[in-house]
Amino acid sequence: TLRNTSDQPREVRLWNGHRKPPLSIPLPGDVNDHIVRTIRTSGSQGTGIYPQGMVINPYNGLTYIANQLSNTISVLDGNGNLQDTLALPTFGNPFGGSPVDLTVFANGDSPNYGKVYLVNAIGDSVSVIGRGLEIEKTIPVGIRPVAIVFNPVNQRIYVANMAEHTVSVIDP
């Protein structure tokens, strides 16, 4: 729900592609507590090029960010500081596998608890990131996977494959 509590009419933009700024500029008197801070895409703190998906891992409290055009995963600690950058398999492509989305296995009673599953859109696969921040394995899926989710009810991972109109189901 969006409410304009000022006495001025306002345009509110939550998403506008590559136009800047992505959010409407606050007016004096607006509450500015909705953004804690912005992490830059370069430098010692930050993500790689074209950050796409992200997930917070309940196992270790780390945030994982899929950097599509860097072919890396940025791992941030609980304070938003860069803890590690994971290089991903290139799949023989000069641009890499194109990581776009992540999910985490969130069943605390399973030996898979805390493992992160990463979609490689160009690599037509899912990479499994272990709790020690290593790539444990890569699983082939359908053509051009773009989204992934963990189902806590049946303990399966679902992957949407855009180019072939299918869903791959992974049993961890």
Side-chain angles (χ1 to χ4, degrees), residues 105 107-115 131 136:
F105 196 99
N107 177 3
D109 296 329
S110 169
N112 293 310
Y113 177 58
K115 292 184 179 182
R131 293 183 290 239
E136 288 187 348

Side-chain angles (χ1 to χ4, degrees), residues 73-86:
I73 300 298
S74 295
V75 182
L76 308 179
D77 66 17
N79 294 319
N81 297 313
L82 184 65
Q83 178 161 332
D84 204 346
T85 301
L86 308 178

Side-chain angles (χ1 to χ4, degrees), residues 111-123:
N112 293 310
Y113 177 58
K115 292 184 179 182
V116 174
Y117 292 76
L118 164 71
V119 170
N120 300 300
I122 295 175

Side-chain angles (χ1 to χ4, degrees), residues 84-105:
D84 204 346
T85 301
L86 308 178
L88 299 172
T90 63
F91 304 99
N93 183 326
F95 302 105
S98 189
V100 295
D101 198 16
L102 310 105
T103 194
V104 65
F105 196 99

Side-chain angles (χ1 to χ4, degrees), residues 25-49:
I25 298 170
L27 293 174
D30 283 353
V31 177
N32 291 318
D33 64 353
H34 60 280
I35 295 176
V36 176
R37 82 180 167 140
T38 299
I39 300 169
R40 300 285 170 217
T41 56
S42 63
S44 62
Q45 284 186 334
T47 66
I49 301 170

